[in-house]
Amino acid sequence: MGDNGVNRTDEDELCAIHLRNRLEGRPGDPEAIRRLILSGGAVGRFQDPARPYLHPEDVDIALDINRFDFAVRVELEKGRPVARIETPAVTMPKLPI
């Protein structure tokens, strides 16, 4: 969701906290994050008929935390953003010597 990367938003801040917790080995609380975001004001814009490019079903997909096992990396190529799936590196098992 966010606000075009210009203004800080609750959902971005909560996502950052959740990611930090996961990276530091803490479980986080996806359901608490979902409740907090849904109780905020940003979700309402997905119901605004003046914004037909915002689809209400995207809210449920976005708040289905841990739904996907990959991240999306966006890089500029020839001045245009290109998104690609990024998965964790595969660790090769150590072979006996």
Side-chain angles (χ1 to χ4, degrees), residues 2-13:
D3 191 9
N4 295 318
V6 176
N7 298 312
R8 295 173 84 151
T9 60
D10 292 346
E11 60 269 16
D12 289 342
E13 299 295 318

Side-chain angles (χ1 to χ4, degrees), residues 69-71 85-91:
D69 63 350
F70 60 86
I85 290 175
E86 182 153 316
T87 56
V90 176
T91 304

